[in-house]
Structure formats: C-alpha cells, structure tokens
C-alpha cells in the first residue's frame, strides 16, 4: 500500500489508502473517487466482496483489481463482479499508471446503467445500443464485447485478453471467433449511423475509436 501510494502521488494523484476490506468499502460508500484500486487479498472482507457491495450501491467508480496470481478464475470473478480492469502481481508501475489513465478517460458512465463513448450510448440492463440513426439490441456476447471495448475506448486490447475477459471459462480454442464478433459489431455500428470504428492491429488486438458526436459521417 505504501509503495503504491508513493508511486501514485509522484505521478500527480491525490491518494487515500486503507489496510482492510471493510475500511475500503466504507470509503467507497462516502467519498466520490475518480478511480479505486482493490487487492483481492485483503483482511476483513476480500476485494471481490468489496467490489460486489460497491456495485450493489449503484457506484460506478472505475475499479482495477490486483490479483496475487494470473489465474483465469480470479480475473473472471473480478470482472463478473463489476471490475473495470485487473493486474496480476508482480506488475510494472508504468503498466498500472497506463491502466489508470485509460480507465479514467474512457467511456463515461452517464448514470448507473448507461455507458457513453462518442456518439454511442449503451444501455446496460436492456443491452440496447443507440447511435445517431437509431438503436439495436445486442446479443449477449456482442454486448459484453462492445461494453468491454467502450470501457477501454481508445485502448488496444489483445485478442487473448478479450477471450479471457469476455468469454471467460467458455473461451473457444480458436481466437478467430473474436474477429467474427468484431465483424458483427462493425455492422451494428454502421446500421445505427455511428462514427465510431473498431480498428485492428496485427498482434496488438482491437480498439474502439469513438471519435466525437460532432464528427458526422463515416470515416
């Protein structure tokens, strides 16, 4: 905790730190933060439980989870409970800072149930995606994939990471399935007249380039 606080403060962040899960939850209940970092292994209640309780209150603060291991189960549990991102220890300070920058500048939470990025609005309860020319209902995996990309708008997400974080334990052996769903989402974006684009880079993954509501027209 001390090391992370020092790193963050030296990078210009104002930091409040606690040493156990119950204190973390109490802070998240009463203070509005730009972001939070939760270790899964904390005294009192663990980070997953803190995350669940925080999301149950309707709190949409961006949260990054720290895991002692890079195991898929830990990652999936955190993401299913509402985490925005995760890092397996040990990790480089530069990577943590980069993840924080992306989390705090990516898709804005309009309210507890809506994400916004550029001219896109994603209603989480109904899986409804709205753009300048209309709305479309997204199937389960389409919704989870687009939500993941919107929450990391502008960030290049590797295919392998998408398989873990979107498909989880049901991830297929063939990574080509990600391309199939990306292709479907591109058609959805075109159908609702969005200027947003899902771009790809070989060996780097995919990114949602949201543009702005004022861009107008297709790029």
């Amino acid at each position: 905790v001390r090391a992370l606080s020092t790193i963050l403060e030296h990078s210009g962040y104002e930091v409040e730190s606690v040493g156990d899960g119950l204190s973390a939850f109490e802070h998240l209940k009463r203070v509005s933060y730009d972001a939070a970092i939760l270790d899964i292994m904390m005294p009192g209640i663990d980070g997953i439980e803190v995350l669940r309780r925080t999301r149950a209150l309707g709190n949409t603060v961006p949260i990054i989870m720290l895991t002692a291991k890079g195991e898929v189960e830990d990652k999936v549990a955190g993401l299913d409970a509402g985490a925005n991102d995760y890092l397996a220890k040990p990790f480089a300070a530069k990577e943590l800072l980069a993840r924080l920058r992306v989390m705090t500048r990516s898709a804005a939470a309009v309210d507890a149930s809506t994400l916004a990025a550029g001219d896109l609005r994603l209603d989480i309860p109904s899986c409804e995606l709205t753009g300048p020319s209309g709305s479309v209902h997204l199937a389960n995996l389409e919704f989870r994939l687009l939500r993941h990309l919107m929450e990391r708008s502008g960030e290049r997400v590797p295919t392998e990471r998408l398989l873990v974080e979107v498909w989880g334990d049901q991830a297929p052996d063939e990574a080509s399935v990600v391309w199939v769903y990306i292709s479907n989402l591109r058609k959805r974006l075109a159908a609702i007249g969005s200027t947003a684009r899902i771009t790809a880079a070989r060996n780097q993954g995919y990114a949602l380039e949201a543009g702005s509501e004022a861009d107008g027209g297709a790029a």
Side-chain angles (χ1 to χ4, degrees):
V1 171
R2 287 194 298 270
L4 280 180
S5 296
T6 299
I7 290 168
L8 293 168
E9 287 167 350
H10 284 174
S11 299
Y13 290 96
E14 183 179 345
V15 181
E16 288 188 7
S17 62
V18 296
D20 64 88
L22 286 172
S23 297
F25 178 59
E26 289 301 317
H27 275 65
L28 287 166
K29 274 203 304 186
R30 61 181 176 81
V31 182
S32 178
Y33 294 102
D34 293 315
I37 302 171
L38 295 176
D39 199 321
I40 286 184
M41 299 174 65
M42 290 193 290
I45 58 175
D46 65 25
I48 297 291
E49 183 60 24
V50 174
L51 176 61
R52 289 196 184 103
R53 295 186 186 185
T54 300
R55 294 301 189 228
L57 295 174
N59 189 334
T60 59
V61 60
I63 293 177
I64 187 168
M65 303 296 297
L66 303 182
T67 67
K69 305 172 184 176
E71 295 180 354
V72 170
E73 291 77 8
D74 286 341
K75 299 171 185 176
V76 171
L79 293 164
D80 283 347
N84 298 82
D85 207 345
Y86 67 85
L87 271 178
K89 297 181 289 186
F91 54 83
K94 287 183 178 179
E95 183 175 8
L96 172 63
L97 293 170
R99 299 283 184 90
L100 279 174
R101 285 194 297 271
V102 168
M103 275 202 325
T104 54
R105 66 171 160 79
S106 59
V110 176
D111 52 41
S113 64
T114 308
L115 279 178
D119 59 14
L120 294 174
R121 296 293 182 274
L122 182 62
D123 184 76
I124 294 170
S126 68
C127 300
E128 195 85 3
L129 179 67
T130 301
S133 301
S135 299
V136 64
H137 177 79
L138 300 180
N140 179 42
L141 283 170
E142 289 178 340
F143 165 76
R144 291 170 62 180
L145 179 56
L146 184 62
R147 177 179 180 178
H148 194 82
L149 292 173
M150 285 182 71
E151 288 176 337
R152 292 155 181 80
S153 181
E155 176 189 1
R156 188 73 61 188
V157 185
T159 301
E160 294 77 12
R161 189 173 167 198
L162 288 173
L163 285 169
V164 168
E165 297 179 357
V166 176
W167 275 262
D169 292 335
Q170 284 72 50
D173 294 331
E174 292 294 327
S176 59
V177 71
V178 177
W179 181 87
V180 173
Y181 277 87
I182 291 292
S183 179
N184 290 341
L185 285 175
R186 285 170 172 162
K187 294 174 184 176
R188 303 286 200 186
L189 296 179
I192 59 175
S194 175
T195 61
R197 295 292 178 268
I198 300 177
T199 61
R202 185 177 295 276
N203 299 324
Q204 294 181 39
Y206 299 93
L208 178 74
E209 306 291 347
S212 69
E213 296 183 38
D215 284 347

